[in-house]
Amino acid sequence: MRKLVLVPTPIGHLADVTLRALEVLRQVEVVACEDTRRTAKLLRHYGIATPLVRVDQHTPDRAERLLEEHAYVAYASDAGTPGISDPGAELVARALAKGFRVEVLPGPTAFVPALVASGLPTARFVFEGFLPTGRARRRRLEALTHEERTVVLYEAPHRLARTLDDLIAIYGPDHPVALARELSKKHEEVWRGTLAAARARFERPRGEFVIVLGPREVPEERPDAAALAAELGEAGLSGRALAEALEARGVPRNEARRWAYRKEKA
Ligand code: SAM
């Protein structure tokens, strides 16, 4: 069966490639990649001579041809796991449509070490990738006002200040944040503090960044049980029906039963 293997590559340190990734890169007929110079450096370092073909969002015809002409193909993006904020997902869809078996090797990615090193809660998190530009950005930021999980974002250095400003507008200046910069590289740094302090600290940022925002406490919207009970009571409901109706509208069971009891006694 024809097979496409997505091969995660180091996000900085060349030793972070897995043994299995090297084995696959050696065995496949061809390695499709986002940037031939970058992937060639990795292959050279490990003495692998498999031919490389550049495939990205600007070369859909080449991707198509590649999958027609070869039966065992690897794909490596610039860095990290293909398909995470890069063109890998598109190639997967194309290969699946052509009946390829698709395998994804576990391996390096930027958001996992950033999240764990942030010191912020990791039990529940949401990966937002790069925030979009234009109108879609506003919608995405507004959606974050309801987000109760830790949020992980990717950002380019030249847009970091603007993104921090936008996040301060939503979360407030004192909200906890961690910025993971240049992970696994010489100038690796995980900075932890508030959004306002991050904005001041990274005035002229350099390198690659992951932003990790602490979870937001969204005030629970509790229904006004008294108002609802009065409203429903007027409709002539029995005590039991009133309790069920209150519960269906979000009133906690105990409280709903108390209102039903009062109704029965009235
Ligand atoms: N596929 C990659 C992955 O699995 O993480 C992500 C590719 S995306 C085009 C590039 C973004 O990942 C950068 O802008 C940055 O936000 C993040 N990134 C990649 N390498 C990084 C590193 N060494 N340190 C911090 N962030 C990094």
Side-chain angles (χ1 to χ4, degrees), residues 5 7-9 14 17-32 39 41-52 72-76 105:
V5 187
V7 180
T9 53
L14 283 183
V17 70
T18 68
L19 296 175
R20 194 161 157 229
L22 293 177
E23 190 182 298
V24 168
L25 291 171
R26 224 172 247 126
Q27 286 173 348
V28 289
E29 293 165 30
V30 62
V31 178
T39 307
K41 189 176 162 207
L42 177 76
L43 265 56
R44 230 184 359 260
H45 185 83
Y46 288 101
I48 298 171
T50 313
L52 295 172
Y72 188 21
V73 178
Y75 179 70
L105 304 190

Side-chain angles (χ1 to χ4, degrees), residues 120-121 147 149-151 171 175-178 212-216:
L120 295 164
E147 187 50 71
R149 294 167 290 183
T150 299
V151 175
Y171 282 82
H175 194 79
V177 67
V212 186
L213 288 158
R216 198 163 183 272

